[in-house]
Amino acid sequence: MKQLFNCIMQGTINDIMVSGYIDTETLPVFHPMYERIYFIINENIFELYIDDGIIQYNNLKNINLWFDIDEDDQFSLMSIYSQLFKTEHEIKVTQIDYKAIPFSNIKINYKDGQEEKQLFLDPNNFFGFTYYN
């Protein structure tokens, strides 16, 4: 996790994505799968996932389909950057706290302009990550 945290603090978070699928049988509707969250930092893609309650990560080249979908559905991605940070502007991460204890959350301290804020990524949800400010 240290490599990921250093990259987040020293680099620029370009986007944060969640994968899911689009149900194309009716009106196209995106269904997010919050078991994995993708941080796009500079040219790197970091996949955060939960393994036995502990948050882990992979450094990826591409974001690929990782779950089964119906034939009429389509794999897709959605940006959640503005939902997590409540801004479209670039933020500066100042500190990240995480203990690799099952079901511990990640606390991200950041600055949005001059305003100091916090974001929590919580692995305690049956459906994957939840987040709150």
Side-chain angles (χ1 to χ4, degrees):
M1 294 297 278
K2 192 171 192 165
Q3 177 192 5
L4 171 62
F5 294 163
N6 286 338
C7 193
I8 290 173
M9 291 183 65
Q10 295 170 3
T12 299
I13 299 175
N14 302 103
D15 208 349
I16 301 176
M17 312 278 293
V18 64
S19 57
Y21 65 95
I22 296 174
D23 183 356
T24 58
E25 194 167 287
T26 60
L27 288 175
V29 175
F30 180 76
H31 299 274
M33 305 291 281
Y34 284 102
E35 290 95 335
R36 299 180 188 198
I37 297 175
Y38 304 92
F39 279 73
I40 315 299
I41 303 166
N42 300 336
E43 300 293 321
N44 299 304
I45 302 170
F46 292 97
E47 171 190 58
L48 271 68
Y49 64 96
I50 305 164
D51 185 20
D52 290 331
I54 296 177
I55 300 172
Q56 303 287 336
Y57 80 95
N58 290 318
N59 194 342
L60 304 175
K61 297 275 185 210
N62 298 302
I63 301 172
N64 296 313
L65 177 66
W66 56 272
F67 53 89
D68 295 330
I69 59 174
D70 293 339
E71 286 182 25
D72 60 335
D73 293 339
Q74 178 182 352
F75 179 73
S76 187
L77 298 168
M78 178 180 74
S79 174
I80 58 172
Y81 181 93
S82 61
Q83 291 174 3
L84 294 177
F85 294 113
K86 309 282 191 238
T87 184
E88 296 288 329
H89 303 286
E90 184 176 306
I91 54 100
K92 173 66 180 150
V93 175
T94 58
Q95 183 179 352
I96 301 173
D97 293 323
Y98 176 68
K99 293 180 177 66
I101 299 170
F103 306 108
S104 293
N105 61 24
I106 294 177
K107 180 174 91 172
I108 300 173
N109 294 327
Y110 66 96
K111 282 189 168 188
D112 180 6
Q114 296 299 319
E115 195 172 342
E116 294 185 16
K117 298 182 179 180
Q118 292 181 328
L119 169 70
F120 295 89
L121 297 177
D122 191 343
N124 288 324
N125 190 306
F126 176 75
F127 296 106
F129 288 96
T130 55
Y131 49 88
Y132 52 94
N133 298 68

